[in-house]
Amino acid sequence: MAGRNRVGNGGRADALCRAAPERPPRPPGFDGIPASSNDNWLDDPEPGPAIELDCLRHILAPALLRAAEARGREVDTGADQVLIRSGVIGEEAYLQALSFQTDLAIETFAEVSRSDCPLPDRYLSSAAQHGLLPLRQRGKLVWIVAPRGFTARRLCRMVAAYPSLCDRILLASRRNLHQFLLRQEAGDVLGRTAANALPRRFPALSAAPVADDDTSRGLRTMRRLAQTALLSAVMTLTPTIVAPDIWSSVLALWFLAFIGLRLAASLMPPRPVRRPPRIPDHGLPVYTVIAALYREASSVASLLKAIEALDYPREKLDVIIVIELDDLETRAALARLGPMPHVQVLLAPAEGPRTKPKALNCALPFARGSFTAVFDAEDCPEPGQLRAALDAFRTQGADVACAQASLCIENQSDSWLSRMFAAEYAGQFDVFLPGLASFGVPLPLGGSSNHFRTAVLREVGGWDAYNVTEDADLGFRLARFGYRSTTFASTTLEEAPARFGGWLRQRSRWMKGWMQTWSVHMRRPRQLWKDAGAKGFLTLNAIIGGNVLTALTFPVLVIDMAWRSLEGAGGGGFSAVTPLHLTTIAAGFASTIVVGLMGLARRGQLRQGWILALTPIYWACLSIAAWRALYQLLSEPYRWEKTEHGLSSQIRSAAASQTLERDEETCGAVFRPHSALKY
């Protein structure tokens, strides 16, 4: 084993030896985010020599061990973690050496069952967070420890001072501990927690079925969804049946309110970007990156390559990939990539709905970082995005719980739909959301490139596993708990559906989720006003409600206006509301075009603005998606219609290549020690 580690990883060892600078002193008055802000691992550094490396003195070269110790001081972590995260030695191989040195036995969980763990179900997630699990073995209580941070150094000192502790402490790899927690009865517990933690803690803030007895649960859920669907249908269809002038005027005014808020936010001048001093590596917190994948075998390699390119020390990067139990193709694709020391793969338990938010909740207990980022399978974030997100948190206050990066479509030339999608995203993420954030109102977050304070994410219950647009819901729930969301200047490239079928499934899911979000938060309007204030109340109804309402009512208003115009041309006289309808529709088209052109201009893609001439056709497609979503809300509310990725004829756009080349020199200093580590 020792020989293989020494010879097989020579390139990694050489790279590490070339990067052994002493840790620079922290600048006086430095306003960075210290490691103590991490809420999941022992905060304080353990001073003194790296005695956790004593077990490797006769296995690895002295120069390599000195380099690992220096790198550990540089980034404020144990030297053992430097070697493991660099791929120089495997975690299990290191634990074998540490066990031989300290007489601490290794637990593989081969003969351990849930009954051996005295920890109540509600605390199992804490065991995952802290890498610490109590077990009863041979009539006594022992503690299983998965070393992280400075844990190995502390264990070495503790055992040297108190040898009797060897019978009470066992070592375990992170992989084995997590697999135990996810399998058998423990897996059911974590699966139920992922699906039902939010409904159990805050039932009024979840779209989950009513947690009543099994007999009445389905009836009550269907009744509630039927009421929501019926209310939406009545609000859109009544204008043409009963009191048409009054109802159509109300809908038109609601439509105009949505348009007005959208324009007001979009016309806000861009905020000046503050560039605080770069945080040195030792001042950075552990950062967790989560990606929930399902049938993404063709995309997983490019995603992990993009994560590999992030300008962040690998020792402080915690990557979690969540896949479904039956997704054998993605599991095989991950296996083909070879060993990835800083990446852990979790299998989502089958409990609860099969949705992206439930998969994200499965990963949340295992997140070690003070901050958590969420990426999708097709994402390619800019290398500096994690540091840019930290800058946003540093400069905008402790009440900022989420920072949203911009999403940009990379395959816009694939079809007219992808071109429209690109213009829509440019307006949404580069113009509208930054302006909306400056108003201090809740943001309807995008589903990717969201960056959260992990402790706050746990405080508010994580994601709603029963909401198929979990991002928008979470943005408003954060506001109800007194937190703000913001945007920051960093781009993530995404792939848009290029064919109508894929686009329709994705957009129907979004519309259905917005309907769920609106109905959940408007259950108790008075409480919503109290929690989120007048701005939050109005934003929910104008943005979430307005998005759905405009899509549902657009064909109704067009047909109603056309009918009235024909009646007027036939001698019956024009209706008084016809000008209002005409103004509403014209304003909607104009606002979409203006915001889209502003976004394309900020992206330097104004030459693509001609596609916005197809806005009326695009709106007709949105209406089809909205009515389809309304039907699904009643018939299959929790079904997640997956968007297929990896279908684009463009692998990466030229703009993406230029961005990566431009940032290569900037992030090279950080990743140069690991330059030999490529997938």
Side-chain angles (χ1 to χ4, degrees):
M1 177 183 70
R4 283 198 301 272
N5 283 319
R6 190 184 308 115
V7 177
N9 295 314
R12 296 176 174 88
D14 292 344
L16 186 60
C17 287
R18 290 196 298 270
E22 293 293 325
R23 177 181 122 178
R26 186 183 296 272
F30 174 64
D31 64 346
I33 304 174
S36 60
S37 69
N38 190 308
D39 56 293
N40 296 321
W41 60 291
L42 298 176
D43 314 316
D44 299 328
E46 186 75 10
I51 58 174
E52 67 271 21
L53 297 184
D54 289 349
C55 61
L56 302 176
R57 299 296 177 191
H58 302 292
I59 299 176
L60 298 178
L64 177 60
L65 298 180
R66 288 194 299 271
E69 184 172 3
R71 177 65 178 171
R73 288 195 300 270
E74 183 184 0
V75 298
D76 261 349
T77 194
D80 59 309
Q81 295 302 306
V82 173
L83 293 172
I84 292 170
R85 292 304 183 96
S86 301
V88 172
I89 189 171
E91 182 184 17
E92 294 186 359
Y94 172 76
L95 291 180
Q96 289 287 349
L98 183 64
S99 172
F100 183 80
Q101 177 80 16
T102 61
D103 288 330
L104 293 173
I106 296 177
E107 179 59 67
T108 63
F109 299 98
E111 300 179 357
V112 177
S113 66
R114 175 68 180 92
S115 60
D116 296 322
C117 178
L119 204 62
D121 289 350
R122 65 181 181 276
Y123 293 125
L124 278 178
S125 60
S126 297
Q129 293 171 30
H130 299 288
L132 189 65
L133 181 73
L135 291 180
R136 290 199 179 276
Q137 294 186 350
R138 296 180 294 277
K140 63 181 179 182
L141 185 69
V142 298
W143 291 89
I144 311 298
V145 180
R148 59 180 58 173
F150 292 96
T151 304
R153 187 177 304 179
R154 292 189 175 104
L155 284 175
C156 290
R157 290 178 176 171
M158 191 182 302
V159 170
Y162 307 99
S164 61
L165 289 177
C166 289
D167 293 333
R168 295 286 184 174
I169 299 175
L170 282 76
L171 301 173
S173 67
R174 180 182 63 169
R175 176 176 175 272
N176 286 340
L177 174 62
H178 291 179
Q179 283 186 343
F180 169 75
L181 292 173
L182 281 170
R183 76 171 186 257
Q184 298 175 351
E185 297 92 339
D188 293 338
V189 170
L190 293 180
R192 288 194 298 271
T193 301
N196 300 314
L198 179 65
R200 187 173 60 248
R201 292 176 58 194
F202 310 110
L205 298 180
S206 173
V210 177
D212 220 347
D213 60 273
D214 293 337
T215 305
S216 63
R217 177 185 303 175
L219 293 175
R220 294 185 61 180
T221 302
M222 292 301 292
R223 188 183 307 125
R224 189 182 70 198
L225 293 171
Q227 290 171 349
T228 303
L230 184 61
L231 175 62
S232 301
V234 166
M235 290 183 66
T236 54
L237 293 177
T238 299
T240 62
I241 303 172
V242 180
D245 289 352
I246 296 176
W247 271 104
S248 59
S249 297
V250 170
L251 292 177
L253 291 174
W254 196 342
F255 204 143
L256 288 171
F258 166 68
I259 295 168
L261 179 58
R262 190 181 184 199
L263 282 175
S266 300
L267 294 174
M268 288 290 294
R271 293 172 298 178
V273 179
R274 290 180 56 189
R275 297 292 185 187
R278 178 182 171 90
I279 305 176
D281 287 353
H282 67 270
L284 291 171
V286 174
Y287 215 118
T288 295
V289 171
I290 303 177
L293 310 181
Y294 183 56
R295 295 181 180 173
E296 298 289 0
S298 62
S299 302
V300 66
S302 60
L303 171 66
L304 289 172
K305 183 178 179 181
I307 293 174
E308 171 77 8
L310 290 172
D311 178 11
Y312 213 81
R314 177 176 292 215
E315 297 87 353
K316 293 188 173 182
L317 190 60
D318 175 39
V319 182
I320 303 177
I321 305 296
V322 191
I323 59 179
E324 300 293 334
L325 288 169
D326 63 349
D327 190 2
L328 301 181
E329 294 85 356
T330 305
R331 293 171 69 175
L334 284 166
R336 286 194 296 269
L337 296 177
M340 297 175 287
H342 61 307
V343 177
Q344 59 177 317
V345 178
L346 302 180
L347 300 180
E351 183 78 23
R354 179 177 289 190
T355 59
K356 174 186 171 182
K358 193 206 79 173
L360 295 176
N361 283 337
C362 289
L364 189 56
F366 299 94
R368 295 194 305 113
S370 298
F371 297 88
T372 295
V374 176
F375 293 120
D376 282 341
E378 79 280 16
D379 285 356
C380 182
E382 287 184 338
Q385 186 166 125
L386 301 191
R387 289 181 179 268
L390 288 179
D391 289 344
F393 286 114
R394 293 163 66 194
T395 58
Q396 299 205 34
D399 63 333
V400 172
C402 177
Q404 169 77 66
S406 293
L407 304 181
C408 179
I409 299 303
E410 62 166 337
N411 63 316
Q412 57 182 285
S413 63
D414 281 0
S415 70
W416 78 271
L417 270 174
S418 61
R419 290 181 188 274
M420 282 296 299
F421 213 126
E424 184 182 25
Y425 260 33
Q428 176 79 359
F429 289 99
D430 293 343
V431 178
F432 174 58
L433 286 184
L436 199 62
S438 66
F439 291 160
V441 300
L443 296 187
L445 301 172
S448 174
S449 296
N450 298 320
H451 299 252
F452 301 96
R453 295 185 189 271
T454 308
V456 174
L457 194 54
R458 292 186 174 124
E459 176 190 341
V460 303
W463 294 270
D464 186 357
Y466 294 88
N467 191 315
V468 297
T469 312
E470 77 292 339
D471 38 17
D473 167 74
L474 184 53
F476 282 90
R477 184 153 26 98
L478 287 170
R480 296 189 70 166
F481 278 79
Y483 295 103
R484 290 191 298 121
S485 300
T486 190
T487 61
F488 66 102
S490 182
T491 297
T492 295
L493 297 176
E494 281 203 337
E495 178 186 338
R499 300 294 176 262
F500 181 73
W503 178 93
L504 181 63
R505 288 188 292 273
Q506 183 186 69
R507 196 56 62 111
S508 296
R509 188 184 78 236
W510 293 1
M511 290 284 184
K512 181 169 67 175
W514 292 336
M515 293 175 189
Q516 290 176 316
T517 298
W518 184 86
S519 63
V520 164
H521 291 282
M522 283 297 290
R523 282 175 184 165
R524 300 174 182 175
R526 207 176 294 176
Q527 187 63 42
L528 173 64
W529 188 290
K530 180 180 177 181
D531 293 343
K535 291 194 297 185
F537 183 92
L538 296 175
T539 301
L540 174 74
N541 284 281
I543 300 300
I544 300 297
N547 257 314
V548 174
L549 187 70
T550 53
L552 288 172
T553 60
F554 171 65
V556 177
L557 291 178
V558 170
I559 293 171
D560 187 54
M561 183 182 66
W563 180 259
R564 293 170 186 270
S565 298
L566 288 175
E567 285 186 335
F574 289 96
S575 169
V577 299
T578 300
L580 177 61
H581 289 185
L582 184 60
T583 301
T584 300
I585 294 172
F589 290 159
S591 66
T592 299
I593 293 171
V594 168
V595 174
L597 288 174
M598 292 175 65
L600 290 173
R602 291 188 185 179
R603 287 227 166 259
Q605 299 175 353
L606 195 55
R607 64 185 179 278
Q608 302 293 335
W610 62 268
I611 194 65
L612 291 166
L614 301 180
T615 295
I617 299 175
Y618 195 65
W619 274 31
C621 295
L622 289 173
S623 294
I624 296 172
W627 284 100
R628 184 172 182 267
L630 184 60
Y631 170 77
Q632 288 186 345
L633 182 66
L634 181 59
S635 61
E636 41 188 5
Y638 309 124
R639 180 189 173 197
W640 184 279
E641 288 195 291
K642 175 180 160 40
T643 303
E644 296 293 334
H645 298 130
L647 304 178
S648 172
S649 61
Q650 292 176 258
I651 304 299
R652 291 291 172 210
S653 65
S657 301
Q658 292 172 3
T659 300
L660 291 174
E661 290 172 4
R662 184 174 63 248
D663 290 338
E664 183 178 357
E665 187 60 32
T666 303
C667 66
V670 175
F671 281 90
R672 197 165 291 120
H674 313 299
S675 58
L677 300 177
K678 300 297 180 185
Y679 294 113

